[in-house]
Amino acid sequence: MAIPILSSNIKHLLILFLIIALPAYSKSSAYRLKIMGLGDIMTHISLLETIHHPSKGYDFNDIFKMVRPLISKADLVIANLETVMAGDSLGITGYPEFNSPQILAANLKNAGIDVLTTANNHSFDRGVKGLKNTIKLLDSLGIHHTGTHIDTSVSSRSLVLKVKNLKIGIISYCYGINGDLSARISKHINIIDTLSIQNEISYLEKQNVDLIIASVHFGVENRSQPDKSQISLVRFLQRNGVSIVLGHHPHVLQPYMFDSTANFFVIFSLGNFLSSQKSFNREFGGIADLVIRKTPHDKKACIESARIIPTT
């Protein structure tokens, strides 16, 4: 009688093991990550005058009050910082050469922004010193960033973040800057170059990232449709392993495309997130709202859903 009792116990143990083990491989066990991409952040003079208080100085918190509840739902929020925050001593200015109050950085963090991409045509509006001061400020506040660099000797110019058990790789590149790009200052910024981008993607793949996001500053300002160079670069990024492309620079919304079969999303331009620009539909922008999923069976993370939330 001992043998049948032992066999029965083993069966019960096996059933119990399966009940415990199976949920770990079910759909409900998938890691899910909500990512939001925001548009360009710029501080024009009219905006600065509106928020400035004679005794308290600048404060952007009220501007972000309405959108904060929305972006707080995301696990990772990425925006394009199209200004420097070089310090008050270098002069607070708007267009055409931006230098925003440094309090903006803390206000952006308070609003829920985790990552600022910094490669754009206004990156050197206060020269190399302004670029370095901006990066030091972001570092002091624990705001992640990529696109411009203090250390020109670094082998990697991308960002890798661990968010809810997923490794996300982020790259940021731009078409150029306002003014001459000398060999000396070009080392501080990621200028669009297919070989450089390929090398960066290869580096991220060696880091075993689950997903690669590219923030790209390109296109023609005030144009509602992407040009041939934008389309060509996006196709290149997709072929080389990028899953999400967030476009900036035109300052207006441009089309987006989500291909679930190819696991690829692109919005050619998110428009403006913070600015005082008007006309040409520049007062409108969008927030890319993406849900990323990865199960224990997946080698890479998949884009489960994607939409654009309009902003004004």
Side-chain angles (χ1 to χ4, degrees):
M1 295 295 294
I3 294 176
I5 293 173
L6 183 61
S7 299
S8 177
N9 287 340
I10 291 173
K11 288 179 181 178
H12 285 117
L13 286 171
L14 285 172
I15 292 170
L16 182 61
F17 171 79
L18 288 172
I19 291 172
I20 295 172
L22 280 175
Y25 297 94
S26 67
K27 187 176 180 180
S28 62
S29 71
Y31 295 119
R32 275 184 174 79
L33 185 67
K34 180 181 276 290
I35 298 175
M36 288 187 178
L38 313 181
D40 297 320
I41 294 172
M42 302 174 291
T43 54
H44 295 84
I45 285 296
S46 57
L47 173 62
L48 293 173
E49 291 175 346
T50 300
I51 66 165
H52 184 264
H53 189 277
S55 60
K56 297 179 181 179
Y58 296 99
D59 188 346
F60 297 84
N61 279 316
D62 283 346
I63 293 179
F64 303 131
K65 183 167 58 178
M66 296 295 291
V67 76
R68 191 182 299 121
L70 173 65
I71 62 179
S72 67
K73 297 177 181 178
D75 301 296
L76 179 64
V77 180
I78 306 169
N80 177 55
L81 183 68
E82 195 162 357
T83 176
V84 295
M85 294 175 282
D88 293 4
S89 63
L90 294 180
I92 301 302
T93 54
Y95 181 83
E97 294 184 346
F98 292 102
N99 182 29
S100 302
Q102 291 195 321
I103 191 64
L104 174 62
N107 294 161
L108 289 171
K109 182 177 182 178
N110 185 53
I113 294 172
D114 305 295
V115 177
L116 290 169
T117 55
T118 55
N120 53 71
N121 54 305
H122 288 282
S123 297
F124 290 94
D125 278 4
R126 284 297 186 278
V128 175
K129 182 177 181 180
L131 179 148
K132 290 182 177 181
N133 287 354
T134 302
I135 294 174
K136 290 175 182 177
L137 175 64
L138 298 180
D139 286 340
S140 72
L141 295 171
I143 301 174
H144 302 290
H145 56 86
T146 185
T148 56
H149 318 274
I150 292 177
D151 185 357
T152 61
S153 65
V154 291
S155 58
S156 170
R157 290 177 162 245
S158 55
L159 178 65
V160 178
L161 295 177
K162 189 75 173 289
V163 187
K164 291 182 69 174
N165 293 307
L166 295 181
K167 288 178 73 174
I168 308 298
I170 305 172
I171 60 176
S172 171
Y173 282 80
C174 70
Y175 72 89
I177 67 167
N178 296 338
D180 295 329
L181 185 65
S182 68
R184 181 180 70 87
I185 68 173
S186 65
K187 296 178 181 179
H188 293 280
I189 187 169
N190 294 350
I191 298 297
I192 293 171
D193 174 78
T194 54
L195 180 58
S196 297
I197 294 173
Q198 278 181 322
N199 290 337
E200 205 57 56
I201 291 172
S202 295
Y203 167 80
L204 291 173
E205 289 175 340
K206 290 176 183 177
Q207 305 304 306
N208 296 315
V209 297
D210 296 296
L211 187 83
I212 299 177
I213 301 172
S215 171
V216 190
H217 208 76
F218 62 174
V220 180
E221 291 192 26
N222 308 323
R223 183 171 175 173
S224 61
Q225 295 295 323
D227 60 22
K228 291 181 180 179
S229 65
Q230 286 174 277
I231 295 171
S232 176
L233 182 61
V234 166
R235 287 173 176 168
F236 167 82
L237 292 169
Q238 182 181 10
R239 288 196 307 270
N240 283 272
V242 172
S243 296
I244 297 171
V245 179
L246 304 175
H248 305 282
H249 181 60
H251 301 301
V252 295
L253 274 173
Q254 289 188 344
Y256 79 96
M257 184 271 292
F258 172 43
D259 186 339
S260 59
T261 303
N263 192 38
F264 184 72
F265 170 88
V266 56
I267 179 162
F268 287 93
S269 173
L270 282 159
N272 291 326
F273 179 70
L274 177 67
S275 84
S276 294
Q277 288 186 322
K278 297 179 181 179
S279 73
F280 302 108
N281 293 322
R282 292 179 298 181
E283 59 267 47
F284 302 101
I287 297 176
D289 182 15
L290 311 170
V291 176
I292 310 303
R293 174 178 58 84
K294 185 183 181 186
T295 71
H297 301 295
D298 297 327
K299 291 183 178 180
K300 296 288 184 180
C302 301
I303 305 172
E304 187 173 79
S305 65
R307 63 172 180 158
I308 300 299
I309 302 172
T311 63
T312 57

